[in-house]
């Protein structure tokens, strides 16, 4: 198997899952220019990461990749749960972090074209995006009031939120008002698979 990733991007999540399941794989770092190349677009027409290639199978979209990896090694419980109900609860959190929270970061990473050159509008867009992110982080924080992780054990949902908290730190978005998030961040950061991936992606010594 081969995983294409951008260092620090959400591709950290399937990269960690590959470490957890213990399958042989090759991790290939790509640049933003490379994922727009004709060769890459043949595999993933959206020109995004992550992309998992396993033989003739080319899979994009985090949830599809993670579901595939879970099916390859269900005993590893990368979804962090033992029962159908617990797995469904964790999948809800994964979808929330993957779709809703992830999307909220978009204006902070790249402003819409219509806002370019308009300083006041750009400021308003960034402020609204930051407030939206913090609103959703408050939901996660409330859950962590009575839970250690978002499944029965550490799961890919936890790693997804961990990645997004890394983005907050990089962007200078202060989430310290939510007392449960930093201890959670440290718990996930201590995971061997997560630490291994950070080293492999050149994000940690």
């Amino acid at each position: 198997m081969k995983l294409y990733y951008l260092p620090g991007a959400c591709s950290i999540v399937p990269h960690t899952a590959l470490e957890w399941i213990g399958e042989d794989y090759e991790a290939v770092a790509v640049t933003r220019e490379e994922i727009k190349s004709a060769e890459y677009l043949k595999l993933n027409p959206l020109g995004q990461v992550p992309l998992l290639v396993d033989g003739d199978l080319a899979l994009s979209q985090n949830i599809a990749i993670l579901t595939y990896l879970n099916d390859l090694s269900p005993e590893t419980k990368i979804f962090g749960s033992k029962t159908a109900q617990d797995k469904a609860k964790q999948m809800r959190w994964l979808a929330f972090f993957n779709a809703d929270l992830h999307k909220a970061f978009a204006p902070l990473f790249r402003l819409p074209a219509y806002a370019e050159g308009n300083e006041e509008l750009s400021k308003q867009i960034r402020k609204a995006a930051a407030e939206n992110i913090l609103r959703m982080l408050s939901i996660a924080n409330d859950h962590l009031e009575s839970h250690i992780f978002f499944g029965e054990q550490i799961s890919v949902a936890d790693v997804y939120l961990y990645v997004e908290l890394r983005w907050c730190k990089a962007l200078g978005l202060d989430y310290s008002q939510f007392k449960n998030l930093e201890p959670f961040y440290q718990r996930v950061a201590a995971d061997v698979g997560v630490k291994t991936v950070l080293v492999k992606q050149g994000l940690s010594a």
Side-chain angles (χ1 to χ4, degrees), residues 16 20 148-150 154-155 157-163 165 182-195 198:
T16 301
W20 285 348
I148 296 175
F149 295 118
F150 290 88
I154 192 170
S155 71
D158 299 296
V159 180
Y160 216 118
L161 178 57
Y162 167 79
V163 171
L165 294 178
E182 189 59 24
F184 165 82
Y185 178 90
Q186 297 301 331
R187 286 196 295 274
V188 178
D191 179 78
V192 173
V194 171
K195 290 195 289 188
L198 294 184

Side-chain angles (χ1 to χ4, degrees), residues 107-119:
L108 299 184
F109 286 130
R110 179 175 296 178
L111 282 167
Y114 64 80
E116 292 180 4
N118 187 327
E119 185 175 347

Side-chain angles (χ1 to χ4, degrees), residues 119-185:
E119 185 175 347
E120 184 57 32
L121 179 58
S122 297
K123 186 183 299 184
Q124 291 174 6
I125 290 172
R126 290 193 181 99
K127 181 175 183 291
E131 290 173 349
N132 192 29
I133 290 167
L134 292 174
R135 178 182 63 83
M136 285 189 270
L137 286 180
S138 73
I139 297 171
N141 181 71
D142 289 346
H143 177 80
L144 292 169
E145 188 68 37
S146 56
H147 299 81
I148 296 175
F149 295 118
F150 290 88
E152 297 304 304
Q153 64 187 50
I154 192 170
S155 71
V156 288
D158 299 296
V159 180
Y160 216 118
L161 178 57
Y162 167 79
V163 171
E164 290 163 330
L165 294 178
R166 283 180 57 89
W167 295 347
C168 287
K169 292 174 182 290
L171 292 165
L173 182 54
D174 182 15
Y175 59 81
S176 61
Q177 61 185 292
F178 305 122
K179 65 182 179 66
N180 300 313
L181 292 185
E182 189 59 24
F184 165 82
Y185 178 90

